[in-house]
PDB file of all heavy atoms in Angstrom:
ATOM      1  N   ASN A 187       0.808  -1.210   0.000  1.00  0.00           N
ATOM      2  CA  ASN A 187       0.001   0.000   0.000  1.00  0.00           C
ATOM      3  C   ASN A 187       0.850   1.273   0.001  1.00  0.00           C
ATOM      4  O   ASN A 187       0.359   2.354   0.303  1.00  0.00           O
ATOM      5  CB  ASN A 187      -0.968  -0.016   1.180  1.00  0.00           C
ATOM      6  CG  ASN A 187      -2.108  -0.989   0.963  1.00  0.00           C
ATOM      7  OD1 ASN A 187      -2.882  -0.846   0.017  1.00  0.00           O
ATOM      8  ND2 ASN A 187      -2.209  -2.001   1.814  1.00  0.00           N
ATOM      9  N   GLY A 188       2.128   1.134  -0.340  1.00  0.00           N
ATOM     10  CA  GLY A 188       2.920   2.303  -0.680  1.00  0.00           C
ATOM     11  C   GLY A 188       3.872   2.866   0.343  1.00  0.00           C
ATOM     12  O   GLY A 188       4.373   3.981   0.163  1.00  0.00           O
ATOM     13  N   CYS A 189       4.182   2.129   1.426  1.00  0.00           N
ATOM     14  CA  CYS A 189       5.127   2.645   2.420  1.00  0.00           C
ATOM     15  C   CYS A 189       6.542   2.151   2.133  1.00  0.00           C
ATOM     16  O   CYS A 189       6.740   1.037   1.640  1.00  0.00           O
ATOM     17  CB  CYS A 189       4.707   2.233   3.825  1.00  0.00           C
ATOM     18  SG  CYS A 189       3.159   3.032   4.346  1.00  0.00           S
ATOM     19  N   ASP A 190       7.511   2.986   2.476  1.00  0.00           N
ATOM     20  CA  ASP A 190       8.908   2.706   2.164  1.00  0.00           C
ATOM     21  C   ASP A 190       9.748   2.378   3.393  1.00  0.00           C
ATOM     22  O   ASP A 190      10.730   1.645   3.287  1.00  0.00           O
ATOM     23  CB  ASP A 190       9.535   3.924   1.462  1.00  0.00           C
ATOM     24  CG  ASP A 190       8.723   4.374   0.259  1.00  0.00           C
ATOM     25  OD1 ASP A 190       8.638   3.598  -0.704  1.00  0.00           O
ATOM     26  OD2 ASP A 190       8.164   5.493   0.304  1.00  0.00           O
ATOM     27  N   LEU A 191       9.384   2.932   4.546  1.00  0.00           N
ATOM     28  CA  LEU A 191      10.135   2.728   5.777  1.00  0.00           C
ATOM     29  C   LEU A 191       9.181   2.347   6.902  1.00  0.00           C
ATOM     30  O   LEU A 191       8.031   2.802   6.936  1.00  0.00           O
ATOM     31  CB  LEU A 191      10.895   3.994   6.166  1.00  0.00           C
ATOM     32  CG  LEU A 191      11.945   4.506   5.177  1.00  0.00           C
ATOM     33  CD1 LEU A 191      12.412   5.899   5.573  1.00  0.00           C
ATOM     34  CD2 LEU A 191      13.129   3.555   5.083  1.00  0.00           C
ATOM     35  N   PHE A 192       9.671   1.525   7.829  1.00  0.00           N
ATOM     36  CA  PHE A 192       8.867   1.050   8.948  1.00  0.00           C
ATOM     37  C   PHE A 192       9.748   1.014  10.195  1.00  0.00           C
ATOM     38  O   PHE A 192      10.926   0.680  10.117  1.00  0.00           O
ATOM     39  CB  PHE A 192       8.348  -0.370   8.694  1.00  0.00           C
ATOM     40  CG  PHE A 192       7.555  -0.528   7.433  1.00  0.00           C
ATOM     41  CD1 PHE A 192       8.195  -0.642   6.204  1.00  0.00           C
ATOM     42  CD2 PHE A 192       6.167  -0.563   7.457  1.00  0.00           C
ATOM     43  CE1 PHE A 192       7.467  -0.791   5.028  1.00  0.00           C
ATOM     44  CE2 PHE A 192       5.427  -0.712   6.299  1.00  0.00           C
ATOM     45  CZ  PHE A 192       6.082  -0.824   5.070  1.00  0.00           C
ATOM     46  N   ASP A 193       9.179   1.352  11.346  1.00  0.00           N
ATOM     47  CA  ASP A 193       9.911   1.183  12.608  1.00  0.00           C
ATOM     48  C   ASP A 193       8.986   0.567  13.640  1.00  0.00           C
ATOM     49  O   ASP A 193       7.773   0.768  13.605  1.00  0.00           O
ATOM     50  CB  ASP A 193      10.463   2.518  13.113  1.00  0.00           C
ATOM     51  CG  ASP A 193       9.386   3.392  13.749  1.00  0.00           C
ATOM     52  OD1 ASP A 193       9.121   3.234  14.951  1.00  0.00           O
ATOM     53  OD2 ASP A 193       8.793   4.222  13.030  1.00  0.00           O
ATOM     54  N   CYS A 194       9.574  -0.182  14.559  1.00  0.00           N
ATOM     55  CA  CYS A 194       8.766  -0.795  15.617  1.00  0.00           C
ATOM     56  C   CYS A 194       9.700  -1.350  16.681  1.00  0.00           C
ATOM     57  O   CYS A 194      10.790  -1.850  16.364  1.00  0.00           O
ATOM     58  CB  CYS A 194       7.910  -1.920  15.039  1.00  0.00           C
ATOM     59  SG  CYS A 194       6.678  -2.567  16.182  1.00  0.00           S
ATOM     60  N   VAL A 195       9.281  -1.264  17.937  1.00  0.00           N
ATOM     61  CA  VAL A 195      10.079  -1.813  19.040  1.00  0.00           C
ATOM     62  C   VAL A 195       9.850  -3.315  19.212  1.00  0.00           C
ATOM     63  O   VAL A 195      10.553  -3.957  19.999  1.00  0.00           O
ATOM     64  CB  VAL A 195       9.771  -1.103  20.369  1.00  0.00           C
ATOM     65  CG1 VAL A 195      10.110   0.372  20.287  1.00  0.00           C
ATOM     66  CG2 VAL A 195       8.297  -1.297  20.769  1.00  0.00           C
ATOM     67  N   ALA A 196       8.879  -3.884  18.496  1.00  0.00           N
ATOM     68  CA  ALA A 196       8.473  -5.270  18.739  1.00  0.00           C
ATOM     69  C   ALA A 196       9.612  -6.289  18.671  1.00  0.00           C
ATOM     70  O   ALA A 196       9.706  -7.161  19.549  1.00  0.00           O
ATOM     71  CB  ALA A 196       7.344  -5.670  17.781  1.00  0.00           C
ATOM     72  N   PRO A 197      10.490  -6.266  17.666  1.00  0.00           N
ATOM     73  CA  PRO A 197      11.508  -7.325  17.585  1.00  0.00           C
ATOM     74  C   PRO A 197      12.362  -7.458  18.842  1.00  0.00           C
ATOM     75  O   PRO A 197      12.623  -8.573  19.308  1.00  0.00           O
ATOM     76  CB  PRO A 197      12.349  -6.910  16.368  1.00  0.00           C
ATOM     77  CG  PRO A 197      11.418  -6.118  15.515  1.00  0.00           C
ATOM     78  CD  PRO A 197      10.557  -5.370  16.488  1.00  0.00           C
ATOM     79  N   THR A 198      12.799  -6.327  19.398  1.00  0.00           N
ATOM     80  CA  THR A 198      13.625  -6.410  20.604  1.00  0.00           C
ATOM     81  C   THR A 198      12.772  -6.578  21.860  1.00  0.00           C
ATOM     82  O   THR A 198      13.182  -7.264  22.802  1.00  0.00           O
ATOM     83  CB  THR A 198      14.516  -5.160  20.736  1.00  0.00           C
ATOM     84  OG1 THR A 198      13.719  -3.982  20.579  1.00  0.00           O
ATOM     85  CG2 THR A 198      15.595  -5.165  19.670  1.00  0.00           C
ATOM     86  N   ARG A 199      11.597  -5.975  21.883  1.00  0.00           N
ATOM     87  CA  ARG A 199      10.739  -6.095  23.073  1.00  0.00           C
ATOM     88  C   ARG A 199      10.304  -7.540  23.289  1.00  0.00           C
ATOM     89  O   ARG A 199      10.411  -8.068  24.405  1.00  0.00           O
ATOM     90  CB  ARG A 199       9.521  -5.189  22.943  1.00  0.00           C
ATOM     91  CG  ARG A 199       8.534  -5.317  24.099  1.00  0.00           C
ATOM     92  CD  ARG A 199       7.405  -4.304  23.986  1.00  0.00           C
ATOM     93  NE  ARG A 199       7.881  -2.959  24.277  1.00  0.00           N
ATOM     94  CZ  ARG A 199       7.171  -1.852  24.071  1.00  0.00           C
ATOM     95  NH1 ARG A 199       5.969  -1.939  23.534  1.00  0.00           N
ATOM     96  NH2 ARG A 199       7.669  -0.669  24.387  1.00  0.00           N
ATOM     97  N   ILE A 200       9.813  -8.181  22.247  1.00  0.00           N
ATOM     98  CA  ILE A 200       9.380  -9.576  22.429  1.00  0.00           C
ATOM     99  C   ILE A 200      10.586 -10.489  22.613  1.00  0.00           C
ATOM    100  O   ILE A 200      10.504 -11.499  23.317  1.00  0.00           O
ATOM    101  CB  ILE A 200       8.481 -10.068  21.276  1.00  0.00           C
ATOM    102  CG1 ILE A 200       9.261 -10.231  19.983  1.00  0.00           C
ATOM    103  CG2 ILE A 200       7.277  -9.160  21.079  1.00  0.00           C
ATOM    104  CD1 ILE A 200       8.503 -10.978  18.897  1.00  0.00           C
ATOM    105  N   GLY A 201      11.721 -10.111  21.995  1.00  0.00           N
ATOM    106  CA  GLY A 201      12.926 -10.908  22.162  1.00  0.00           C
ATOM    107  C   GLY A 201      13.371 -10.953  23.606  1.00  0.00           C
ATOM    108  O   GLY A 201      13.759 -12.012  24.120  1.00  0.00           O
ATOM    109  N   ARG A 202      13.312  -9.812  24.287  1.00  0.00           N
ATOM    110  CA  ARG A 202      13.718  -9.779  25.695  1.00  0.00           C
ATOM    111  C   ARG A 202      12.786 -10.608  26.572  1.00  0.00           C
ATOM    112  O   ARG A 202      13.149 -10.956  27.702  1.00  0.00           O
ATOM    113  CB  ARG A 202      13.746  -8.330  26.204  1.00  0.00           C
ATOM    114  CG  ARG A 202      14.795  -7.467  25.535  1.00  0.00           C
ATOM    115  CD  ARG A 202      14.996  -6.154  26.279  1.00  0.00           C
ATOM    116  NE  ARG A 202      13.780  -5.367  26.431  1.00  0.00           N
ATOM    117  CZ  ARG A 202      13.299  -4.530  25.522  1.00  0.00           C
ATOM    118  NH1 ARG A 202      13.921  -4.404  24.351  1.00  0.00           N
ATOM    119  NH2 ARG A 202      12.205  -3.825  25.740  1.00  0.00           N
ATOM    120  N   ASN A 203      11.605 -10.910  26.067  1.00  0.00           N
ATOM    121  CA  ASN A 203      10.643 -11.716  26.820  1.00  0.00           C
ATOM    122  C   ASN A 203      10.582 -13.167  26.346  1.00  0.00           C
ATOM    123  O   ASN A 203       9.694 -13.923  26.751  1.00  0.00           O
ATOM    124  CB  ASN A 203       9.256 -11.082  26.736  1.00  0.00           C
ATOM    125  CG  ASN A 203       9.184  -9.767  27.503  1.00  0.00           C
ATOM    126  OD1 ASN A 203       9.445  -9.725  28.688  1.00  0.00           O
ATOM    127  ND2 ASN A 203       8.859  -8.694  26.814  1.00  0.00           N
ATOM    128  N   GLY A 204      11.520 -13.541  25.478  1.00  0.00           N
ATOM    129  CA  GLY A 204      11.624 -14.946  25.085  1.00  0.00           C
ATOM    130  C   GLY A 204      10.825 -15.357  23.875  1.00  0.00           C
ATOM    131  O   GLY A 204      10.727 -16.552  23.588  1.00  0.00           O
ATOM    132  N   SER A 205      10.261 -14.397  23.135  1.00  0.00           N
ATOM    133  CA  SER A 205       9.524 -14.728  21.914  1.00  0.00           C
ATOM    134  C   SER A 205      10.398 -14.439  20.703  1.00  0.00           C
ATOM    135  O   SER A 205      11.085 -13.413  20.658  1.00  0.00           O
ATOM    136  CB  SER A 205       8.232 -13.918  21.817  1.00  0.00           C
ATOM    137  OG  SER A 205       7.319 -14.325  22.802  1.00  0.00           O
ATOM    138  N   MET A 206      10.347 -15.333  19.716  1.00  0.00           N
ATOM    139  CA  MET A 206      11.192 -15.172  18.535  1.00  0.00           C
ATOM    140  C   MET A 206      10.421 -15.504  17.273  1.00  0.00           C
ATOM    141  O   MET A 206       9.559 -16.387  17.264  1.00  0.00           O
ATOM    142  CB  MET A 206      12.442 -16.039  18.652  1.00  0.00           C
ATOM    143  CG  MET A 206      13.534 -15.411  19.504  1.00  0.00           C
ATOM    144  SD  MET A 206      14.784 -16.593  20.029  1.00  0.00           S
ATOM    145  CE  MET A 206      14.065 -17.159  21.554  1.00  0.00           C
ATOM    146  N   TYR A 207      10.757 -14.778  16.218  1.00  0.00           N
ATOM    147  CA  TYR A 207      10.158 -15.037  14.910  1.00  0.00           C
ATOM    148  C   TYR A 207      10.856 -16.239  14.265  1.00  0.00           C
ATOM    149  O   TYR A 207      12.075 -16.408  14.373  1.00  0.00           O
ATOM    150  CB  TYR A 207      10.340 -13.833  13.981  1.00  0.00           C
ATOM    151  CG  TYR A 207       9.756 -12.542  14.477  1.00  0.00           C
ATOM    152  CD1 TYR A 207      10.575 -11.430  14.703  1.00  0.00           C
ATOM    153  CD2 TYR A 207       8.395 -12.405  14.720  1.00  0.00           C
ATOM    154  CE1 TYR A 207      10.052 -10.227  15.147  1.00  0.00           C
ATOM    155  CE2 TYR A 207       7.863 -11.210  15.173  1.00  0.00           C
ATOM    156  CZ  TYR A 207       8.698 -10.123  15.382  1.00  0.00           C
ATOM    157  OH  TYR A 207       8.174  -8.936  15.825  1.00  0.00           O
ATOM    158  N   THR A 208      10.055 -17.072  13.596  1.00  0.00           N
ATOM    159  CA  THR A 208      10.604 -18.120  12.739  1.00  0.00           C
ATOM    160  C   THR A 208       9.765 -18.158  11.474  1.00  0.00           C
ATOM    161  O   THR A 208       8.695 -17.538  11.396  1.00  0.00           O
ATOM    162  CB  THR A 208      10.562 -19.510  13.412  1.00  0.00           C
ATOM    163  OG1 THR A 208       9.209 -20.021  13.375  1.00  0.00           O
ATOM    164  CG2 THR A 208      11.052 -19.460  14.863  1.00  0.00           C
ATOM    165  N   LYS A 209      10.233 -18.898  10.500  1.00  0.00           N
ATOM    166  CA  LYS A 209       9.474 -18.997   9.242  1.00  0.00           C
ATOM    167  C   LYS A 209       8.114 -19.635   9.467  1.00  0.00           C
ATOM    168  O   LYS A 209       7.196 -19.451   8.673  1.00  0.00           O
ATOM    169  CB  LYS A 209      10.276 -19.801   8.208  1.00  0.00           C
ATOM    170  CG  LYS A 209      11.509 -19.064   7.702  1.00  0.00           C
ATOM    171  CD  LYS A 209      12.190 -19.822   6.592  1.00  0.00           C
ATOM    172  CE  LYS A 209      12.846 -21.089   7.069  1.00  0.00           C
ATOM    173  NZ  LYS A 209      14.009 -20.857   7.965  1.00  0.00           N
ATOM    174  N   GLN A 210       7.970 -20.404  10.568  1.00  0.00           N
ATOM    175  CA  GLN A 210       6.684 -21.041  10.885  1.00  0.00           C
ATOM    176  C   GLN A 210       5.858 -20.238  11.884  1.00  0.00           C
ATOM    177  O   GLN A 210       4.853 -20.720  12.386  1.00  0.00           O
ATOM    178  CB  GLN A 210       6.928 -22.453  11.431  1.00  0.00           C
ATOM    179  CG  GLN A 210       7.310 -23.477  10.374  1.00  0.00           C
ATOM    180  CD  GLN A 210       8.723 -23.259   9.859  1.00  0.00           C
ATOM    181  OE1 GLN A 210       9.635 -23.013  10.641  1.00  0.00           O
ATOM    182  NE2 GLN A 210       8.909 -23.347   8.548  1.00  0.00           N
ATOM    183  N   GLY A 211       6.265 -19.027  12.182  1.00  0.00           N
ATOM    184  CA  GLY A 211       5.538 -18.189  13.125  1.00  0.00           C
ATOM    185  C   GLY A 211       6.337 -17.953  14.394  1.00  0.00           C
ATOM    186  O   GLY A 211       7.473 -18.411  14.532  1.00  0.00           O
TER     187      GLY A 211
END
């Protein structure tokens, strides 16, 4: 839908709480 840049604290915030992204979710 036309956006070029994105920011979010989620990757590090959830990482510090033990959640991690994988290709399966």
Side-chain angles (χ1 to χ4, degrees):
N187 286 299
C189 293
D190 307 295
L191 299 169
F192 304 79
D193 77 86
C194 190
V195 298
T198 50
R199 176 175 288 170
I200 70 168
R202 295 193 303 276
N203 291 302
S205 291
M206 279 164 271
Y207 302 119
T208 76
K209 290 186 291 293
Q210 285 72 44

